[in-house]
Structures are given as C-alpha cells and as structure tokens.
Amino acid sequence: MSNQRKKDVEFLRKAIEVAARSQEEGAHPFGCILVGSDDDVLLEEGNGFPTDGGPGHAETNLARAAARKYSPEFLSGCTLYTSVEPCCMCSGSAYWAGIGAIVFGTTEHALGEITGDHPENMTMDLPCRTVIASGRRNIDVRGPFEELETEILDTHRKYWS
C-alpha cells in the first residue's frame, strides 16, 4: 500500500468517526473532515438534517465553513475526506469553496442501493467525478476504498432499515 493510500485510509477513518458522532447526536451517519497540506485536521462536520433538512449534508456544511475561514488559495492545498462520496450538491460546494482534493470511502451509488427512495436520502446517481469534471478547476478525486466499504455500508444498512 502506498504512503498516500495509507494516509487516505487514516483520514477516512477519522471521517467515519465523525459520521458515528453525527448519528449519536440524532442526525444521519455522514461525516467529513478537512485536512490541510501539513496533514492537520482543520475542520470536521457531521450531517445537519435535524436542523437544515435535505441541504444539511456534512460536506456542504464543511465547504461553507471552510470558505468562511480560509481563502481559496489556501483551500486549494486542502483535502476533504468523507465517508460517502459527495453528492452533486456537496461536490459543487467543495468546487466553489476551492478545495483541492476529495477522498471518499464508498460510492453514492452503493449508498443508493441501501436507501432506495427513502425521503430523507434521495440520492442522485451522479458520481462526484462527473460533477467535478464539468467545472473549470481541477480537483483530485480519490475513492472508493474497498477496505472501508463494508464497514461504512453496514452502518448505513443498520441506520436506514
């Protein structure tokens, strides 16, 4: 396993911990972190469905907070780590904030197979790579990570059943 992959798995595990805390606090089990170019965790966000409804996704919450706190130039050297692939809204939020990389544990498509037509998680089968490729700025996208998918998806199976 490459050093980058080891680091990605380590940070994804931290995002999974944030997702677990989000669920413990009564929200959906989604979580993400923002990591700076020096590998410091700068921000973390869980899901905000109880207060924000459908737009309260962890990645959008994080991108908004990051854009308030840091310049796009700084954010271009940062990585957003998230348990589940960002939806089109969240991918767009990371794009507009200027975040330089997105790393996810499992795909939105795999999540959609679990949640189906659940009214609180109407997934869109639109890969974040497609959203990012539609823009004019390059963002490095890495994922999914097979070694974490079972763990992440088992949590969602339990939650959404």
Side-chain angles (χ1 to χ4, degrees):
M1 183 183 298
S2 73
N3 285 340
Q4 182 62 59
R5 190 162 183 93
K6 286 179 187 176
K7 186 176 10 174
D8 285 347
V9 168
E10 174 187 331
F11 286 125
L12 283 169
R13 289 204 180 283
K14 291 181 188 220
I16 291 167
E17 290 171 12
V18 175
R21 281 198 308 276
S22 179
Q23 183 177 355
E24 289 167 7
E25 294 169 1
H28 299 165
F30 296 98
C32 61
I33 61 173
L34 182 70
V35 176
S37 60
D38 57 359
D39 291 339
D40 284 340
V41 176
L42 304 172
L43 297 170
E44 63 178 48
E45 286 288 339
N47 180 269
F49 186 83
T51 55
D52 300 329
H57 293 194
E59 301 89 348
T60 292
N61 294 342
L62 185 136
R64 188 179 301 112
R68 287 184 189 127
K69 189 169 184 173
Y70 303 108
S71 71
E73 294 77 23
F74 177 81
L75 289 172
S76 70
C78 295
T79 302
L80 185 155
Y81 287 89
T82 183
S83 53
V84 177
E85 179 179 19
C87 71
C88 57
M89 173 182 68
C90 294
S91 299
S93 294
Y95 175 88
W96 285 105
I99 296 170
I102 297 170
V103 180
F104 61 90
T106 191
T107 65
E108 185 178 26
H109 180 79
L111 176 66
E113 290 178 356
I114 293 168
T115 61
D117 291 335
H118 195 290
E120 291 184 11
N121 196 49
M122 300 293 289
T123 62
M124 298 180 79
D125 198 5
L126 181 60
C128 73
R129 283 181 174 88
T130 302
V131 175
I132 297 305
S134 300
R136 297 174 185 251
R137 193 170 58 75
N138 186 37
I139 296 176
D140 181 25
V141 178
R142 300 188 297 275
F145 284 71
E146 292 178 12
E147 58 267 58
L148 299 174
E149 285 186 295
T150 299
E151 175 185 349
I152 295 166
L153 292 173
D154 283 349
T155 297
H156 283 277
R157 278 186 196 92
K158 291 174 189 164
Y159 182 85
W160 297 103
S161 62

